[in-house]
Amino acid sequence: MSAARSLAARQAELVLALVAGGPPPPGFAPGPLAAARAALLRKRAGEVARHWPLLAAGLGGRWPTVFVEWAAGRPTAGGLRDGWDLARTLRARDALPPLGAEELAVREAGLRYDGQQPPRRRRLPAVGRASGAVALQLAGRVRLLRPAR
Amino acid sequence: MTGPHGVGIGWRPEIAGFVAELPGLRFVEVVAETVPIAGPPPAGLVELRERGVTVVPHGVRLSLGGAEPVEPARVAHLATVAELLAAPLVSEHIAFVRAGGLEAGHLLPLPRTREAVDVVCANVARTQAELPVPIALEPIAALFDWPDDELDEAAFLGEILERTGALLLLDIANVHANARNRGTDPLALLDRLPLDRVAYLHVAGGAEHGGFYHDTHTDPVNREVLELLGELCARHRPPAALLERDGHYPPAAELRTELDAVADACGFPVVT
């Protein structure tokens, strides 16, 4: 039992180092561990791009770098929420590309997301706005009313 | 229900149309966690089943190597998917994917210790107790090793297979990746694995990046992997080999060429 607990602790330490910026666990070769950390971030960038294709397309060639800079040391909350959190962060910095703003506006109109709990479908009509883009949701159907600036 | 035979392909929604049109196809795999159990399975899979194509649910989130007991709800889901698809077997990985409440987002290697063997065997036994069909276990591609390995890869896998009675899902690209990244001989590993226990093979593409070979599933299958596949089948040919592609899908002609190359390396009939 104590052995199993120690493996549990060591596995937790390793995951913390790989996805949450934790210190490298003792004894592991640093080069391969860094390669694994980078590979996880690249894989995650691909998953988030699948949930947020317009955000990724809007950033174009900068997508992997922008995502990895934001995601390094930040554990995933899943592709949908990761992309949502990143889009809001970029909006706050005035760095959200128009395509990403339109995608964010559409998402904000369709789903309620407080940044903590998983997004939930809105039951009442709602308007989503991001960097000039405006989307309207009525009875579950979302339309982009105005494109981003 | 027959087990997997011949050349198969990983069924993904993005390539469902391509897969549906492969005339000789008798075997696909689906990522088990993507199959809903509340409603009917995806229409593309139902059509394949009606054609008599074998569908194998392939789990990626059980975390059989996690120090905590495998989650019953995840096992129940896998078992239900196997029933829904009338699968002859399911498969999962010898790996862990979460610990301490954090998701790694990928398959992580275990220390090759007796303690880890015990952990895996206990979780496999818990899973087998709920499954309606046999399970095949897949060794993963790892970019790093733990510092305290007591067993080599062949001894580690052999012990797990023997104690669990599970089948082996051998990923030939993972064999290549690990040998390339550890600087070991892939043929030496093949010579020590119980090849008669292989239910089917995985074949996938990868890329060299930063001094490592990465098992990406988004790049073409390289020549060394196909050669290793040929070497393996010359020793003992398993009943089936499955091509995995998980993104950056190439034009249909390229994917057909890859399927033909897998068939050619194994000596299986082409399915295209």
Side-chain angles (χ1 to χ4, degrees):
Chain A
M1 196 58 215
S2 69
R5 198 156 50 239
S6 87
L7 180 63
R10 296 177 68 211
Q11 287 184 338
E13 228 174 54
L14 181 60
V15 175
L16 205 63
L18 286 172
V19 307
F28 284 84
L33 212 55
R37 191 185 296 120
L40 287 173
L41 282 169
R42 277 196 303 277
K43 184 180 179 218
R44 202 173 139 196
E47 279 163 11
V48 173
R50 271 197 288 284
H51 279 92
W52 292 81
L54 299 180
L55 173 63
L59 289 164
R62 292 188 298 131
W63 165 252
T65 316
V66 170
F67 178 79
V68 165
E69 268 175 17
W70 174 84
R74 191 191 300 258
T76 183
L80 176 63
R81 285 174 63 183
D82 280 358
W84 207 315
D85 293 341
L86 171 58
R88 285 176 172 176
T89 303
L90 293 176
R91 177 177 59 183
R93 278 193 229 141
D94 223 3
L96 189 60
L99 278 175
E102 290 164 15
E103 195 164 37
L104 180 60
V106 165
R107 292 280 159 79
E108 300 274 8
L111 300 167
R112 181 190 310 279
Y113 175 46
D114 63 3
Q116 306 294 324
Q117 300 297 316
R120 297 179 60 177
R121 202 158 294 285
R122 293 182 187 273
R123 295 185 182 280
L124 298 175
V127 171
R129 298 171 196 275
S131 311
V134 179
L136 172 70
Q137 178 265 126
L138 275 176
R141 298 175 65 151
V142 184
R143 277 172 52 193
L144 187 68
L145 295 184
R146 193 164 70 198
R149 288 191 294 269
Chain B
M1 192 67 241
T2 57
H5 279 284
V7 173
I9 185 164
W11 186 91
R12 309 286 184 261
E14 294 91 333
I15 54 169
F18 170 84
V19 175
E21 287 174 11
L22 292 169
L25 189 70
R26 294 168 65 195
F27 159 46
V28 299
E29 195 182 59
V30 60
V31 175
E33 285 82 353
T34 66
V35 179
I37 54 170
L45 285 180
V46 173
E47 282 159 31
L48 288 170
R49 283 292 306 117
E50 285 165 359
R51 270 170 55 189
V53 174
T54 298
V55 181
V56 174
H58 181 56
V60 297
R61 309 282 299 275
L62 270 192
S63 205
L64 289 172
E68 293 123 24
V70 69
E71 293 170 37
R74 294 183 185 277
V75 177
H77 183 275
L78 181 59
T80 306
V81 172
E83 267 162 18
L84 280 176
L85 297 169
L89 77 159
V90 300
S91 51
E92 244 291 354
H93 300 86
I94 299 174
F96 76 106
V97 302
R98 68 183 69 81
L102 277 183
E103 295 286 329
H106 198 62
L107 304 158
L108 296 180
L110 301 170
R112 290 192 299 272
T113 59
R114 302 198 180 281
E115 180 189 358
V117 169
D118 290 344
V119 160
V120 173
C121 290
N123 274 332
V124 171
R126 290 181 186 107
T127 305
Q128 286 169 321
E130 305 301 323
L131 285 176
V133 291
I135 188 169
L137 301 177
E138 176 178 1
I140 63 164
L143 283 168
F144 62 88
D145 287 311
W146 288 64
D148 50 343
D149 289 341
E150 299 163 355
L151 305 164
D152 65 15
E153 178 112 18
F156 180 69
L157 299 175
E159 177 100 15
I160 290 170
L161 294 176
E162 197 179 309
R163 280 176 50 184
T164 59
L167 298 163
L168 178 58
L169 162 49
L170 187 62
D171 186 319
I172 202 70
N174 290 354
V175 173
H176 168 75
N178 290 338
R180 153 76 182 77
N181 292 336
R182 289 179 188 139
T184 56
D185 178 9
L187 295 176
L189 176 63
L190 293 185
D191 285 335
R192 290 183 52 210
L193 289 178
L195 298 183
D196 56 339
R197 293 278 285 275
V198 177
Y200 61 101
L201 301 168
H202 270 174
V203 186
E208 294 279 336
H209 189 92
F212 293 88
Y213 176 89
H214 293 261
D215 177 51
T216 61
H217 296 197
T218 56
D219 293 278
V221 179
N222 72 16
R223 194 177 41 80
E224 287 115 308
V225 169
L226 286 171
E227 282 172 8
L228 196 55
L229 180 60
E231 288 282 350
L232 169 76
C233 290
R235 282 163 170 74
H236 181 99
R237 189 178 73 179
L242 181 128
L243 178 68
E244 291 181 291
R245 184 83 185 208
D246 287 298
H248 289 282
Y249 296 99
E254 270 174 51
L255 216 43
R256 274 196 289 270
T257 304
E258 286 213 324
L259 285 168
D260 290 351
V262 171
D264 190 46
C266 300
F268 285 135
V270 297
V271 299
T272 56

